Amino acid sequence: MSTTAPDATAPDETALVEQFEQVLARHDRIEPRDWMPEKYRATLVRQIAQHAHSEIIGMQPEGNWITRAPSLRRKAILLAKVQDEAGHGLYLYSACETLGVSRQELTEKLVSGQQKYSSIFNYPTLSYADVGTIGWLVDGAAIANQVPLCRTSYGPYGRSMIRICKEESFHQRQGYELLMTMMRGSDAQRAMVQESVDRFWWPALMMFGPPDDDSPNTAQSMAWGIKRDTNDELRQKFVDMSVPQAERLGVTLPDPDLVWNAERGHHDFGQPDWEEFRAVVTGAGPCNAQRIAHRRRAHEDGAWVRDAATAFAARSSAEPVETREARA
Ligand SMILES: [Fe+2]
Ligand SMILES: [Fe+2]
């Protein structure tokens, strides 16, 4: 019998593609067991992994201030926030695992620099005001990016985003409330807030990725329903949202070109330094090496926990059911 004979039971690829596209056209979800084009799967793995890594690396800049929080209340809030980010990373690694990649593989790709994370986390946190600014602007930008992802076409990704977005909104409020408290304080505190906003405004705008005409993956990702808005649309939404918040706070956003355009019904604004963005994304930011070294060390230090959990799971599944039940 010839091994090249077509298998009569295998559905042909054209029918599968058609089915896949019908699901997208209905704005329905693609689930892990559904057929999907290899490129769709690879794009999702890249995007979800990058997102998961950002949550995990994103714990470091703020974690830097946990031991130096100015009060017990601020420490409790910051601890809860950083812990939420760990949870976000874990949901997203799980979503990525449904696409056939192991967490081990993802971690190795992060620490070897093969997969990226958001450029924003390669900037240092120099004062406690940065905790507030990160909550307000960085979590704010994350919300603008992520709310549309609740409707993304891949089921496990969209569902994990729903809970994540609720927590991000708490993060943004705690940041804004911290900055508002400092703005009502002394001149030195107000200066600290302004200095922090000056450093984080442009990197926050970079979080939406390069301009649309320099973003080769956007069109395909939108056609697949993975992305719902372009980078520039999201950046505009974020600027329009942040301007009145900055006014209420009493801080100046460091952009001389920022002005309301009544004709467009949006703010005009300047462009971030895209050269700096490219440098930070490709590893030359102020903290890239430090962030990865810290992550690698934490992963190595945790090896015994993984070994113990694996040994325990193996022993439990080898035991007769009665022994397991008796112990429980
Ligand atoms: Fe998060
Ligand atoms: Fe957050």
Side-chain angles (χ1 to χ4, degrees):
M1 200 172 116
S2 160
T3 52
T4 55
D7 178 354
T9 58
D12 80 288
E13 174 118 358
T14 330
L16 290 170
V17 172
E18 214 167 275
Q19 241 172 33
F20 172 81
E21 275 168 2
Q22 276 167 5
V23 173
L24 295 185
R26 287 199 305 270
H27 294 285
D28 225 336
R29 304 268 207 204
I30 303 291
E31 297 297 338
R33 289 196 183 137
D34 294 343
W35 180 90
M36 61 187 86
E38 181 47 33
K39 272 193 162 166
Y40 173 85
R41 196 190 72 86
T43 303
L44 276 169
V45 168
R46 183 175 53 82
Q47 183 173 330
I48 302 175
Q50 184 169 323
H51 193 162
H53 298 328
S54 303
E55 303 281 359
I56 295 297
I57 297 286
M59 290 192 282
Q60 292 185 40
E62 289 178 285
N64 178 35
W65 284 95
I66 291 175
T67 55
R68 291 171 289 165
S71 68
L72 187 57
R73 177 171 176 265
R74 292 292 171 198
K75 191 196 280 260
I77 293 172
L78 185 55
L79 268 173
K81 199 248 180 191
V82 171
Q83 194 171 305
D84 282 354
E85 306 299 7
H88 299 172
L90 299 186
Y91 302 148
L92 290 163
Y93 282 134
S94 301
C96 214
E97 283 182 307
T98 65
L99 293 158
V101 206
S102 71
R103 185 162 328 164
Q104 174 74 14
E105 213 176 305
L106 294 168
T107 303
E108 275 159 17
K109 285 192 168 157
L110 167 66
V111 295
S112 66
Q114 288 175 67
Q115 281 176 343
K116 302 201 180 335
Y117 55 90
S118 177
S119 56
I120 191 80
F121 302 118
N122 291 314
Y123 291 88
T125 43
L126 305 178
S127 76
Y128 206 80
D130 289 357
V131 170
T133 308
I134 289 178
W136 175 38
L137 295 178
V138 176
D139 289 275
I143 293 169
N145 256 326
Q146 293 171 10
V147 165
L149 289 176
C150 295
R151 294 179 290 116
T152 195
S153 60
Y154 187 58
Y157 191 26
R159 288 188 289 273
S160 66
M161 289 321 303
I162 294 171
R163 172 154 178 192
I164 290 177
C165 283
K166 287 191 181 143
E167 293 180 346
E168 296 301 358
S169 122
F170 156 73
H171 297 171
Q172 193 194 23
R173 280 172 213 201
Q174 67 80 32
Y176 195 73
E177 189 263 349
L178 166 57
L179 296 182
M180 194 57 104
T181 306
M182 290 183 80
M183 290 304 284
R184 291 194 188 120
S186 64
D187 285 345
Q189 284 175 307
R190 276 187 285 278
M192 206 186 268
V193 172
Q194 183 63 57
E195 189 274 335
S196 172
V197 170
D198 288 346
R199 272 183 292 113
F200 275 98
W201 174 250
W202 294 109
L205 289 193
M206 294 176 196
M207 286 176 70
F208 298 94
D212 291 349
D213 50 22
D214 191 23
S215 175
N217 301 321
T218 294
Q220 181 61 78
S221 287
M222 288 185 72
W224 276 331
I226 296 177
K227 258 177 112 152
R228 296 291 184 192
D229 305 271
T230 73
N231 298 352
D232 287 335
E233 283 166 2
L234 291 169
R235 199 170 357 256
Q236 178 75 64
K237 211 183 268 183
F238 175 71
V239 170
D240 289 341
M241 186 173 91
S242 302
V243 169
Q245 293 172 348
E247 275 165 14
R248 276 215 70 197
L249 263 182
V251 295
T252 309
L253 296 173
D255 179 357
D257 297 326
L258 186 59
V259 62
W260 175 250
N261 182 328
E263 218 167 285
R264 290 201 308 124
H266 291 291
H267 292 87
D268 290 338
F269 56 97
Q271 284 294 308
D273 179 349
W274 292 116
E275 280 307 311
E276 176 183 316
F277 173 74
R278 262 180 288 275
V280 176
V281 161
T282 51
C287 299
N288 295 57
Q290 177 189 335
R291 301 288 187 238
I292 290 297
H294 185 85
R295 183 70 201 94
R296 186 177 290 133
R297 201 166 47 241
H299 186 65
E300 284 163 7
D301 288 350
W304 70 272
V305 179
R306 292 189 296 279
D307 290 347
T310 312
F312 181 76
R315 197 187 70 189
S316 304
S317 62
E319 271 173 358
V321 177
E322 311 83 71
T323 323
R324 236 181 297 161
E325 281 175 354
R327 209 186 29 235

